[in-house]
Amino acid sequence: MKNTINILLLLIAITIIGFRVMKGIEFKQNVKGYLKRAADANTIEIANEELTKVIDYLEANNLTSGYTSILYKTPDEDIGFWYRNLKASQNELQNLNSTSALEKTNVLMKLRETLVDSGKKAKVTVPDGVTYYPNNLFWAVLGWTAAGIVAYLFIFYGYKLEEYEKARLAKKAAEENKPF
């Protein structure tokens, strides 16, 4: 009976982790991937096309305002600022009337600086936790539940393995002390 419960708990934890991973992949496919492509674009048209895909997705999924935080609001979790910044970048790309290569290059460089954080490993700028918005509390609770289940199973089976090993060593010691 205990093994059945433990297997059920393990399946629940794997399911929760699987759904969290799927949410992350979906966000990468529909937002992060296109933002990276817009940042890497060599022409205004390509950058605008990629950025438009992101903005259309954000608007369709109501990711245009709010904070991703659960306990307190911080600037890095402000979806509204991020969205308005993306819209401003799109507007700048669409309204560029210059034929000057220098101006086009400057706009693309500015876009890249807006979309990608610089550092050791450049990464796309997105608010922390936006992958799970607007249900961040729900996903946090599920994540902690999965982590608790996995921790319980490791401790439980670690204890069982320790008992098994002690019993095996005691049996081996008893066999070695047996007279022939």
Side-chain angles (χ1 to χ4, degrees):
M1 181 67 179
K2 261 188 178 180
N3 282 339
T4 305
I5 293 171
N6 289 337
I7 289 170
L8 184 63
L9 286 174
L10 183 61
L11 289 174
I12 290 170
I14 289 171
T15 302
I16 292 170
I17 293 167
F19 276 111
R20 285 182 60 98
V21 168
M22 282 180 11
K23 291 280 287 176
I25 290 170
E26 177 189 349
F27 189 76
K28 185 175 183 178
Q29 288 174 331
N30 294 303
V31 178
K32 281 185 167 182
Y34 290 121
L35 286 176
K36 179 73 170 99
R37 287 170 53 144
D40 292 342
N42 283 321
T43 68
I44 298 293
E45 294 77 21
I46 293 173
N48 184 45
E49 183 181 312
E50 299 300 316
L51 193 55
T52 299
K53 290 176 186 176
V54 172
I55 291 172
D56 289 346
Y57 177 84
L58 295 177
E59 290 170 350
N61 289 283
N62 200 26
L63 294 171
T64 58
S65 64
Y67 282 84
T68 61
S69 53
I70 296 171
L71 298 177
Y72 50 87
K73 296 176 182 178
T74 58
D76 62 332
E77 297 166 336
D78 185 358
I79 294 174
F81 173 80
W82 175 63
Y83 171 76
R84 287 189 313 274
N85 215 19
L86 293 177
K87 285 293 281 186
S89 295
Q90 181 190 38
N91 194 27
E92 194 169 340
L93 290 171
Q94 291 173 345
N95 294 327
L96 182 66
N97 294 326
S98 176
T99 57
S100 164
L102 181 60
E103 272 191 69
K104 289 180 180 180
T105 301
N106 284 342
V107 169
L108 289 172
M109 285 174 45
K110 183 178 176 185
L111 177 67
R112 181 168 180 76
E113 289 174 358
T114 300
L115 299 180
V116 178
D117 288 333
S118 59
K120 280 188 175 181
K121 185 178 179 190
K123 64 178 192 152
V124 176
T125 304
V126 295
D128 292 338
V130 71
T131 304
Y132 307 107
Y133 185 81
N135 303 313
N136 292 48
L137 178 61
F138 172 74
W139 285 104
V141 169
L142 282 180
W144 281 106
T145 301
I149 290 170
V150 170
Y152 162 76
L153 292 174
F154 271 114
I155 291 168
F156 177 77
Y157 280 107
Y159 177 73
K160 289 292 184 187
L161 286 173
E162 187 177 323
E163 282 182 359
Y164 172 77
E165 187 64 21
K166 283 180 184 177
R168 189 184 69 77
L169 290 174
K171 183 179 176 183
K172 184 177 178 183
E175 288 175 357
E176 288 175 358
N177 292 334
K178 245 187 210 182
F180 292 97

